[in-house]
PDB file of all heavy atoms in Angstrom:
ATOM      1  N   ALA A  68      18.774  45.158  14.616  1.00  0.00           N
ATOM      2  CA  ALA A  68      19.654  44.761  15.719  1.00  0.00           C
ATOM      3  C   ALA A  68      19.809  43.248  15.787  1.00  0.00           C
ATOM      4  O   ALA A  68      20.914  42.720  15.976  1.00  0.00           O
ATOM      5  CB  ALA A  68      19.119  45.309  17.040  1.00  0.00           C
ATOM      6  N   ARG A  69      18.706  42.531  15.624  1.00  0.00           N
ATOM      7  CA  ARG A  69      18.751  41.076  15.723  1.00  0.00           C
ATOM      8  C   ARG A  69      19.608  40.482  14.613  1.00  0.00           C
ATOM      9  O   ARG A  69      20.410  39.565  14.845  1.00  0.00           O
ATOM     10  CB  ARG A  69      17.326  40.511  15.655  1.00  0.00           C
ATOM     11  CG  ARG A  69      17.277  39.000  15.811  1.00  0.00           C
ATOM     12  CD  ARG A  69      15.878  38.456  15.630  1.00  0.00           C
ATOM     13  NE  ARG A  69      14.954  38.913  16.660  1.00  0.00           N
ATOM     14  CZ  ARG A  69      13.749  38.394  16.852  1.00  0.00           C
ATOM     15  NH1 ARG A  69      13.327  37.396  16.066  1.00  0.00           N
ATOM     16  NH2 ARG A  69      12.959  38.845  17.788  1.00  0.00           N
ATOM     17  N   ILE A  70      19.452  41.019  13.397  1.00  0.00           N
ATOM     18  CA  ILE A  70      20.174  40.461  12.257  1.00  0.00           C
ATOM     19  C   ILE A  70      21.647  40.848  12.276  1.00  0.00           C
ATOM     20  O   ILE A  70      22.531  40.023  12.034  1.00  0.00           O
ATOM     21  CB  ILE A  70      19.516  40.917  10.935  1.00  0.00           C
ATOM     22  CG1 ILE A  70      18.108  40.333  10.819  1.00  0.00           C
ATOM     23  CG2 ILE A  70      20.362  40.510   9.733  1.00  0.00           C
ATOM     24  CD1 ILE A  70      17.287  40.906   9.697  1.00  0.00           C
ATOM     25  N   MET A  71      21.936  42.117  12.561  1.00  0.00           N
ATOM     26  CA  MET A  71      23.291  42.615  12.394  1.00  0.00           C
ATOM     27  C   MET A  71      24.189  42.382  13.608  1.00  0.00           C
ATOM     28  O   MET A  71      25.405  42.355  13.482  1.00  0.00           O
ATOM     29  CB  MET A  71      23.261  44.103  12.048  1.00  0.00           C
ATOM     30  CG  MET A  71      22.507  44.414  10.755  1.00  0.00           C
ATOM     31  SD  MET A  71      23.037  43.420   9.322  1.00  0.00           S
ATOM     32  CE  MET A  71      24.746  43.927   9.155  1.00  0.00           C
ATOM     33  N   THR A  72      23.595  42.233  14.792  1.00  0.00           N
ATOM     34  CA  THR A  72      24.421  41.944  15.964  1.00  0.00           C
ATOM     35  C   THR A  72      24.278  40.499  16.399  1.00  0.00           C
ATOM     36  O   THR A  72      25.221  39.892  16.907  1.00  0.00           O
ATOM     37  CB  THR A  72      24.091  42.882  17.136  1.00  0.00           C
ATOM     38  OG1 THR A  72      22.713  42.736  17.512  1.00  0.00           O
ATOM     39  CG2 THR A  72      24.332  44.320  16.751  1.00  0.00           C
ATOM     40  N   GLY A  73      23.090  39.937  16.189  1.00  0.00           N
ATOM     41  CA  GLY A  73      22.855  38.518  16.401  1.00  0.00           C
ATOM     42  C   GLY A  73      23.197  38.013  17.781  1.00  0.00           C
ATOM     43  O   GLY A  73      23.180  38.728  18.764  1.00  0.00           O
ATOM     44  N   GLY A  74      23.540  36.734  17.842  1.00  0.00           N
ATOM     45  CA  GLY A  74      23.906  36.081  19.092  1.00  0.00           C
ATOM     46  C   GLY A  74      24.736  34.867  18.747  1.00  0.00           C
ATOM     47  O   GLY A  74      25.339  34.803  17.674  1.00  0.00           O
ATOM     48  N   PRO A  75      24.801  33.854  19.623  1.00  0.00           N
ATOM     49  CA  PRO A  75      25.550  32.637  19.304  1.00  0.00           C
ATOM     50  C   PRO A  75      25.033  31.994  18.020  1.00  0.00           C
ATOM     51  O   PRO A  75      23.877  32.161  17.629  1.00  0.00           O
ATOM     52  CB  PRO A  75      25.270  31.743  20.522  1.00  0.00           C
ATOM     53  CG  PRO A  75      24.891  32.694  21.608  1.00  0.00           C
ATOM     54  CD  PRO A  75      24.178  33.822  20.937  1.00  0.00           C
ATOM     55  N   ARG A  76      25.911  31.275  17.360  1.00  0.00           N
ATOM     56  CA  ARG A  76      25.543  30.591  16.111  1.00  0.00           C
ATOM     57  C   ARG A  76      24.271  29.777  16.318  1.00  0.00           C
ATOM     58  O   ARG A  76      24.136  29.043  17.297  1.00  0.00           O
ATOM     59  CB  ARG A  76      26.681  29.683  15.666  1.00  0.00           C
ATOM     60  CG  ARG A  76      26.477  29.054  14.294  1.00  0.00           C
ATOM     61  CD  ARG A  76      27.716  28.265  13.917  1.00  0.00           C
ATOM     62  NE  ARG A  76      27.556  27.581  12.641  1.00  0.00           N
ATOM     63  CZ  ARG A  76      27.820  28.124  11.456  1.00  0.00           C
ATOM     64  NH1 ARG A  76      28.269  29.366  11.392  1.00  0.00           N
ATOM     65  NH2 ARG A  76      27.656  27.445  10.346  1.00  0.00           N
ATOM     66  N   GLY A  77      23.314  29.928  15.394  1.00  0.00           N
ATOM     67  CA  GLY A  77      22.052  29.221  15.496  1.00  0.00           C
ATOM     68  C   GLY A  77      20.943  30.033  16.120  1.00  0.00           C
ATOM     69  O   GLY A  77      19.789  29.596  16.117  1.00  0.00           O
ATOM     70  N   THR A  78      21.277  31.225  16.659  1.00  0.00           N
ATOM     71  CA  THR A  78      20.235  32.092  17.217  1.00  0.00           C
ATOM     72  C   THR A  78      19.325  32.566  16.095  1.00  0.00           C
ATOM     73  O   THR A  78      19.808  33.064  15.076  1.00  0.00           O
ATOM     74  CB  THR A  78      20.865  33.323  17.906  1.00  0.00           C
ATOM     75  OG1 THR A  78      21.727  32.878  18.945  1.00  0.00           O
ATOM     76  CG2 THR A  78      19.793  34.232  18.476  1.00  0.00           C
ATOM     77  N   PRO A  79      17.993  32.414  16.216  1.00  0.00           N
ATOM     78  CA  PRO A  79      17.099  32.872  15.149  1.00  0.00           C
ATOM     79  C   PRO A  79      17.271  34.362  14.869  1.00  0.00           C
ATOM     80  O   PRO A  79      17.391  35.177  15.789  1.00  0.00           O
ATOM     81  CB  PRO A  79      15.704  32.569  15.702  1.00  0.00           C
ATOM     82  CG  PRO A  79      15.926  31.468  16.691  1.00  0.00           C
ATOM     83  CD  PRO A  79      17.263  31.741  17.307  1.00  0.00           C
ATOM     84  N   LEU A  80      17.302  34.719  13.592  1.00  0.00           N
ATOM     85  CA  LEU A  80      17.444  36.113  13.183  1.00  0.00           C
ATOM     86  C   LEU A  80      16.119  36.711  12.727  1.00  0.00           C
ATOM     87  O   LEU A  80      15.929  37.922  12.789  1.00  0.00           O
ATOM     88  CB  LEU A  80      18.465  36.226  12.044  1.00  0.00           C
ATOM     89  CG  LEU A  80      19.872  35.711  12.336  1.00  0.00           C
ATOM     90  CD1 LEU A  80      20.762  35.902  11.109  1.00  0.00           C
ATOM     91  CD2 LEU A  80      20.471  36.407  13.541  1.00  0.00           C
ATOM     92  N   ALA A  81      15.214  35.880  12.232  1.00  0.00           N
ATOM     93  CA  ALA A  81      13.952  36.366  11.683  1.00  0.00           C
ATOM     94  C   ALA A  81      12.895  36.499  12.768  1.00  0.00           C
ATOM     95  O   ALA A  81      12.907  35.787  13.776  1.00  0.00           O
ATOM     96  CB  ALA A  81      13.460  35.418  10.591  1.00  0.00           C
ATOM     97  N   ASP A  82      11.967  37.437  12.539  1.00  0.00           N
ATOM     98  CA  ASP A  82      10.747  37.495  13.343  1.00  0.00           C
ATOM     99  C   ASP A  82       9.570  37.229  12.404  1.00  0.00           C
ATOM    100  O   ASP A  82       9.753  36.995  11.211  1.00  0.00           O
ATOM    101  CB  ASP A  82      10.617  38.832  14.080  1.00  0.00           C
ATOM    102  CG  ASP A  82      10.687  40.037  13.154  1.00  0.00           C
ATOM    103  OD1 ASP A  82      10.324  39.907  11.954  1.00  0.00           O
ATOM    104  OD2 ASP A  82      11.092  41.123  13.607  1.00  0.00           O
ATOM    105  N   GLU A  83       8.367  37.269  12.921  1.00  0.00           N
ATOM    106  CA  GLU A  83       7.201  36.914  12.105  1.00  0.00           C
ATOM    107  C   GLU A  83       7.001  37.842  10.915  1.00  0.00           C
ATOM    108  O   GLU A  83       6.442  37.453   9.894  1.00  0.00           O
ATOM    109  CB  GLU A  83       5.939  36.894  12.966  1.00  0.00           C
ATOM    110  CG  GLU A  83       5.778  35.629  13.793  1.00  0.00           C
ATOM    111  CD  GLU A  83       5.738  34.374  12.931  1.00  0.00           C
ATOM    112  OE1 GLU A  83       4.971  34.352  11.952  1.00  0.00           O
ATOM    113  OE2 GLU A  83       6.490  33.434  13.223  1.00  0.00           O
ATOM    114  N   ALA A  84       7.462  39.110  11.049  1.00  0.00           N
ATOM    115  CA  ALA A  84       7.275  40.072   9.968  1.00  0.00           C
ATOM    116  C   ALA A  84       8.357  39.978   8.904  1.00  0.00           C
ATOM    117  O   ALA A  84       8.211  40.555   7.810  1.00  0.00           O
ATOM    118  CB  ALA A  84       7.240  41.495  10.534  1.00  0.00           C
ATOM    119  N   SER A  85       9.453  39.266   9.182  1.00  0.00           N
ATOM    120  CA  SER A  85      10.565  39.197   8.241  1.00  0.00           C
ATOM    121  C   SER A  85      10.140  38.531   6.937  1.00  0.00           C
ATOM    122  O   SER A  85       9.438  37.513   6.935  1.00  0.00           O
ATOM    123  CB  SER A  85      11.730  38.420   8.857  1.00  0.00           C
ATOM    124  OG  SER A  85      12.216  39.064  10.014  1.00  0.00           O
ATOM    125  N   ALA A  86      10.586  39.107   5.834  1.00  0.00           N
ATOM    126  CA  ALA A  86      10.167  38.657   4.501  1.00  0.00           C
ATOM    127  C   ALA A  86      10.408  37.162   4.302  1.00  0.00           C
ATOM    128  O   ALA A  86      11.462  36.630   4.662  1.00  0.00           O
ATOM    129  CB  ALA A  86      10.911  39.452   3.433  1.00  0.00           C
ATOM    130  N   ALA A  87       9.427  36.509   3.720  1.00  0.00           N
ATOM    131  CA  ALA A  87       9.517  35.069   3.479  1.00  0.00           C
ATOM    132  C   ALA A  87       8.556  34.678   2.363  1.00  0.00           C
ATOM    133  O   ALA A  87       7.618  35.414   2.030  1.00  0.00           O
ATOM    134  CB  ALA A  87       9.177  34.288   4.749  1.00  0.00           C
ATOM    135  N   PHE A  88       8.822  33.514   1.783  1.00  0.00           N
ATOM    136  CA  PHE A  88       7.861  32.840   0.914  1.00  0.00           C
ATOM    137  C   PHE A  88       7.419  31.594   1.660  1.00  0.00           C
ATOM    138  O   PHE A  88       8.245  30.795   2.110  1.00  0.00           O
ATOM    139  CB  PHE A  88       8.492  32.461  -0.421  1.00  0.00           C
ATOM    140  CG  PHE A  88       7.653  31.507  -1.230  1.00  0.00           C
ATOM    141  CD1 PHE A  88       6.436  31.906  -1.759  1.00  0.00           C
ATOM    142  CD2 PHE A  88       8.080  30.209  -1.457  1.00  0.00           C
ATOM    143  CE1 PHE A  88       5.654  31.021  -2.505  1.00  0.00           C
ATOM    144  CE2 PHE A  88       7.310  29.322  -2.198  1.00  0.00           C
ATOM    145  CZ  PHE A  88       6.097  29.735  -2.726  1.00  0.00           C
ATOM    146  N   ARG A  89       6.108  31.433   1.798  1.00  0.00           N
ATOM    147  CA  ARG A  89       5.557  30.289   2.522  1.00  0.00           C
ATOM    148  C   ARG A  89       4.727  29.437   1.580  1.00  0.00           C
ATOM    149  O   ARG A  89       3.931  29.960   0.791  1.00  0.00           O
ATOM    150  CB  ARG A  89       4.715  30.761   3.704  1.00  0.00           C
ATOM    151  CG  ARG A  89       5.524  31.424   4.811  1.00  0.00           C
ATOM    152  CD  ARG A  89       4.634  31.939   5.935  1.00  0.00           C
ATOM    153  NE  ARG A  89       5.401  32.330   7.119  1.00  0.00           N
ATOM    154  CZ  ARG A  89       5.983  33.509   7.273  1.00  0.00           C
ATOM    155  NH1 ARG A  89       5.856  34.430   6.318  1.00  0.00           N
ATOM    156  NH2 ARG A  89       6.680  33.775   8.359  1.00  0.00           N
ATOM    157  N   ALA A  90       4.924  28.132   1.668  1.00  0.00           N
ATOM    158  CA  ALA A  90       4.168  27.219   0.811  1.00  0.00           C
ATOM    159  C   ALA A  90       3.953  25.913   1.563  1.00  0.00           C
ATOM    160  O   ALA A  90       4.668  25.591   2.523  1.00  0.00           O
ATOM    161  CB  ALA A  90       4.919  26.959  -0.487  1.00  0.00           C
ATOM    162  N   ARG A  91       2.959  25.164   1.128  1.00  0.00           N
ATOM    163  CA  ARG A  91       2.686  23.832   1.667  1.00  0.00           C
ATOM    164  C   ARG A  91       2.684  22.861   0.498  1.00  0.00           C
ATOM    165  O   ARG A  91       1.946  23.039  -0.469  1.00  0.00           O
ATOM    166  CB  ARG A  91       1.352  23.801   2.400  1.00  0.00           C
ATOM    167  CG  ARG A  91       0.956  22.420   2.909  1.00  0.00           C
ATOM    168  CD  ARG A  91      -0.211  22.501   3.872  1.00  0.00           C
ATOM    169  NE  ARG A  91       0.194  23.109   5.144  1.00  0.00           N
ATOM    170  CZ  ARG A  91      -0.638  23.350   6.139  1.00  0.00           C
ATOM    171  NH1 ARG A  91      -1.932  23.059   6.016  1.00  0.00           N
ATOM    172  NH2 ARG A  91      -0.205  23.881   7.265  1.00  0.00           N
ATOM    173  N   ILE A  92       3.555  21.857   0.578  1.00  0.00           N
ATOM    174  CA  ILE A  92       3.622  20.864  -0.485  1.00  0.00           C
ATOM    175  C   ILE A  92       3.213  19.511   0.085  1.00  0.00           C
ATOM    176  O   ILE A  92       3.395  19.227   1.272  1.00  0.00           O
ATOM    177  CB  ILE A  92       5.031  20.781  -1.106  1.00  0.00           C
ATOM    178  CG1 ILE A  92       6.087  20.418  -0.048  1.00  0.00           C
ATOM    179  CG2 ILE A  92       5.393  22.116  -1.768  1.00  0.00           C
ATOM    180  CD1 ILE A  92       7.480  20.204  -0.615  1.00  0.00           C
ATOM    181  N   ASP A  93       2.628  18.677  -0.752  1.00  0.00           N
ATOM    182  CA  ASP A  93       2.212  17.329  -0.353  1.00  0.00           C
ATOM    183  C   ASP A  93       3.212  16.329  -0.906  1.00  0.00           C
ATOM    184  O   ASP A  93       3.347  16.186  -2.128  1.00  0.00           O
ATOM    185  CB  ASP A  93       0.810  17.021  -0.880  1.00  0.00           C
ATOM    186  CG  ASP A  93      -0.256  17.865  -0.194  1.00  0.00           C
ATOM    187  OD1 ASP A  93      -0.100  18.150   1.001  1.00  0.00           O
ATOM    188  OD2 ASP A  93      -1.230  18.266  -0.867  1.00  0.00           O
ATOM    189  N   ILE A  94       3.919  15.646  -0.035  1.00  0.00           N
ATOM    190  CA  ILE A  94       4.890  14.644  -0.465  1.00  0.00           C
ATOM    191  C   ILE A  94       4.705  13.377   0.362  1.00  0.00           C
ATOM    192  O   ILE A  94       4.280  13.432   1.518  1.00  0.00           O
ATOM    193  CB  ILE A  94       6.344  15.156  -0.344  1.00  0.00           C
ATOM    194  CG1 ILE A  94       6.653  15.659   1.076  1.00  0.00           C
ATOM    195  CG2 ILE A  94       6.619  16.267  -1.353  1.00  0.00           C
ATOM    196  CD1 ILE A  94       8.101  16.096   1.274  1.00  0.00           C
TER     197      ILE A  94
END
Side-chain angles (χ1 to χ4, degrees):
R69 183 185 295 192
I70 295 170
M71 300 309 298
T72 60
R76 187 176 177 87
T78 301
L80 301 180
D82 55 27
E83 281 301 311
S85 298
F88 167 67
R89 292 177 168 84
R91 176 168 289 177
I92 59 175
D93 292 326
I94 54 176

